[in-house]
Amino acid sequence: MIKVVENVEDLKKEIAKLNRDVEIDRILSIDLPFIDSKDNFTIINIPSYGKENQNNIILVADEKILMYTPFKISNFDKKFEKLIKKKHGQSTITIFMLLKSILKNYSHEFLRIRDIMNTLELDPMLDSIEDTGRQLRKLTDRMEGLFQIIIELKEEDIDCFNPLIINLEYELFSTEARSWLERSRSHTYRIASLRTKSEMRSNRELNDTMKKLTVIMTFLTIVSIVVNVPGTIGAIFGIPALSNAYFESHTTLLIITLISTTLLSVLLGYLYWRSLHLKTS
């Protein structure tokens, strides 16, 4: 008999009715796939993705199956109808269908993360890369936990699960789970590649900024030279002793000297600017 509960409180009440020693609060706090098999019960807890990250719990005690999950897996495929009647058939098929639903959920999450990474290839923002990397590592850890449960159910002697009943389907499912796990692992290298691209872009932007600053500083240096030359000459002639003795009778010459030195400074500054071949971009 399968009993599906919709909230944690109902789950605790049903576990109490079964009179099984289950630390449900501790199990719910685990953020990775978890299985625990005792003499009188087996419990599996696997977190999933959705609007709200939720735990998916299935507890098998004797012939009773208690489920807490958002997935609708009560209706079995027709090919499993005869298998359900076999010993441990219902619990085996129920656990198998839950595992398939979880793997499908994880594969959708992987595709979502992959789409984000494809976008980051065009615009590698470091903060987004780090956030995506954390999401991918969490998903990879969950996939590894799920695959470990798949292996343990097959290799360990767990009363409520008989993989021989669905031998072919279970082998295909194990292969699919391994494939998704390897894809998730391989994409961790893409995160490292995206970090490198982001650093290269940051270095390129820094170099561009330094070039612009160099252009600005060079321009300001040339301007200061252009201004200082005639200013120095004017300051010399502004000395009272020289001014009274020479400036009053040679005003025109002083003006010509200031203009010519200014034009010469501008010309030399321009030639120097051209010789540097500076570009702002």
Side-chain angles (χ1 to χ4, degrees):
M1 182 185 70
I2 300 177
K3 175 72 173 181
V4 180
V5 296
E6 296 182 354
N7 55 66
V8 176
E9 293 302 321
D10 290 342
L11 176 64
K12 293 180 178 179
K13 291 178 182 178
E14 292 297 329
I15 292 176
K17 291 179 182 178
L18 293 174
N19 194 25
R20 296 294 190 272
D21 184 18
V22 180
E23 299 180 15
I24 190 63
D25 289 325
R26 183 182 66 84
I27 293 174
L28 288 170
S29 66
I30 300 175
D31 194 42
L32 294 172
F34 168 84
I35 182 171
D36 187 19
S37 182
K38 304 293 185 181
D39 293 336
N40 56 355
F41 75 91
T42 297
I43 186 169
I44 299 174
N45 173 42
I46 308 176
S48 61
Y49 295 92
K51 294 181 179 179
E52 295 182 0
N53 290 342
Q54 182 172 335
N55 296 76
N56 299 269
I57 293 178
I58 181 168
L59 187 147
V60 181
D62 299 329
E63 296 298 323
K64 296 180 181 179
I65 302 173
L66 181 61
M67 297 186 63
Y68 171 61
T69 176
F71 300 114
K72 307 297 181 182
I73 58 176
S74 299
N75 299 324
F76 302 127
D77 295 339
K78 291 183 178 181
K79 61 182 178 181
F80 295 136
E81 290 180 353
K82 294 182 179 180
L83 301 178
I84 293 175
K85 299 177 181 179
K86 294 185 177 182
K87 184 179 180 180
H88 302 309
Q90 189 175 45
S91 58
T92 298
I93 300 302
T94 303
I95 293 173
F96 177 63
M97 296 300 294
L98 176 62
L99 294 177
K100 288 190 66 175
S101 299
I102 295 295
L103 181 61
K104 184 177 181 180
N105 178 263
Y106 285 2
S107 65
H108 288 168
E109 177 66 11
F110 170 78
L111 294 176
R112 184 190 70 82
I113 294 175
R114 189 188 64 176
D115 290 340
I116 294 176
M117 294 174 70
N118 291 338
T119 303
L120 290 173
E121 289 281 357
L122 302 176
D123 186 19
M125 302 295 293
L126 185 59
D127 290 341
S128 298
I129 292 172
E130 294 300 330
D131 181 62
T132 304
R134 286 189 292 270
Q135 294 180 46
L136 181 61
R137 286 191 296 273
K138 182 176 181 179
L139 174 62
T140 303
D141 290 341
R142 286 184 171 182
M143 282 191 173
E144 288 176 345
L146 175 62
F147 188 71
Q148 183 62 37
I149 289 179
I150 294 171
I151 298 300
E152 188 171 343
L153 286 171
K154 179 181 178 180
E155 296 181 351
E156 300 293 332
D157 185 16
I158 298 177
D159 290 337
C160 67
F161 190 84
N162 183 8
L164 296 178
I165 296 177
I166 50 172
N167 188 44
L168 179 60
E169 288 82 358
Y170 201 73
E171 288 295 334
L172 293 174
F173 173 69
S174 299
T175 302
E176 182 185 2
R178 182 188 296 274
S179 174
W180 282 109
L181 175 58
E182 292 302 323
R183 292 183 68 181
S184 181
R185 285 173 174 171
S186 66
H187 274 63
T188 57
Y189 297 103
R190 285 192 65 189
I191 294 295
S193 175
L194 288 171
R195 288 196 188 98
T196 302
K197 286 187 176 181
S198 177
E199 291 173 358
M200 291 175 61
R201 190 174 82 165
S202 296
N203 291 335
R204 186 167 56 250
E205 292 175 350
L206 179 60
N207 290 336
D208 291 341
T209 302
M210 293 301 296
K211 287 181 180 179
K212 292 177 181 179
L213 290 176
T214 301
V215 171
I216 294 172
M217 293 304 297
T218 303
F219 176 77
L220 293 176
T221 300
I222 294 173
V223 170
S224 65
I225 294 173
V226 171
V227 173
N228 284 336
V229 171
T232 301
I233 296 174
I236 293 173
F237 284 96
I239 298 174
L242 293 176
S243 176
N244 296 332
Y246 189 80
F247 175 69
E248 292 179 355
S249 58
H250 299 84
T251 304
T252 303
L253 179 60
L254 176 59
I255 294 174
I256 294 174
T257 302
L258 291 174
I259 294 175
S260 61
T261 54
T262 301
L263 292 177
L264 181 61
S265 299
V266 172
L267 178 62
L268 293 176
Y270 175 75
L271 294 175
Y272 176 67
W273 175 271
R274 291 293 301 271
S275 67
L276 295 177
H277 303 289
L278 294 175
K279 295 181 179 180
T280 59
S281 61

